[in-house]
Amino acid sequence: MGKSNRGVIGIVAALLCIGSLAGCGAKSSEPSVSDVADRFSAMEKYDVKPNGDVTTVTASKSGTLYVLAYRDDLKKMNAESCTVDGNPMKASTEDLNYPDSKGKNLFAFAQSKVGQAGDHKLSCNQSGTANLKALFEATK
C-alpha cells in the first residue's frame, strides 16, 4: 500500500472516529416539547406558604411530590425544612424546572415519595422566600 492510500485511510478513519464521538446518527435522549408539556399538564400544582402553614396535597395514587423555588432563592432553601405527613423531605435529584405565570422558572429543591392515594400534609418552613410551588407527579 502506498503512502497516499495510507493517508486517505487515516483521514477516513479519523473522520469516522470524530463522527462517532460527536454522536452522528445517534438518537437524542432529550424529551420533546410535547413530552414536557404532557408531563406538566398531568401534575397537580399547589401554592405553598413558606411560613410552615399546612398545604393539603391530594394524591390520586402513589407518586412523587416536589417543592420548587425561584433560582435566586435556591441557596437559602433547605429540603429538610419541608415535611410530608411530618417526615422531612430530601434534596431533589430531579432537574425539574417549572415556568410560572410571570415567565420566571421555579426549580425543584425538595422531593418526597408519596406511597399511597389520599390527602397528605405538606408544610415548609423556609425563610428568605415568599413563593414556593409544589408539584405532585403520580406514578405511571
Side-chain angles (χ1 to χ4, degrees), residues 63-67 82-85 87-92 110-115 122 135-137:
T64 304
L65 182 63
Y66 301 97
V67 179
C82 291
T83 62
V84 178
D85 297 330
N87 299 311
M89 296 182 80
K90 303 221 182 304
S92 181
Q111 72 182 49
S112 182
K113 293 289 183 194
V114 173
L122 169 65
L135 302 175
F136 175 74
E137 183 172 33

Side-chain angles (χ1 to χ4, degrees), residues 70 98-106 133:
Y70 290 113
Y98 180 77
D100 72 3
S101 60
K102 301 171 204 148
K104 291 181 71 178
N105 283 350
L106 294 119
K133 176 84 65 187

Side-chain angles (χ1 to χ4, degrees), residues 59-77:
S60 57
K61 58 182 179 176
S62 65
T64 304
L65 182 63
Y66 301 97
V67 179
L68 299 87
Y70 290 113
R71 181 182 302 275
D72 295 343
D73 296 333
L74 286 177
K75 289 183 180 175
K76 301 179 246 177
M77 300 297 103

Side-chain angles (χ1 to χ4, degrees), residues 1 9 12 14 32 37 39 50 58 62 66 69 72-73 76 84 95 97 104 117 119 125 131 134-135 137 139:
M1 204 181 306
I9 290 173
V12 170
S32 70
R39 181 179 181 195
T58 302
S62 65
Y66 301 97
D72 295 343
D73 296 333
K76 301 179 246 177
V84 178
D95 288 333
N97 64 74
K104 291 181 71 178
D119 288 342
N125 199 352
N131 298 295
L135 302 175
E137 183 172 33
T139 304

Side-chain angles (χ1 to χ4, degrees), residues 7-24:
V8 170
I9 290 173
I11 291 171
V12 170
L15 290 173
L16 287 172
C17 186
I18 290 168
S20 68
L21 290 174
C24 291

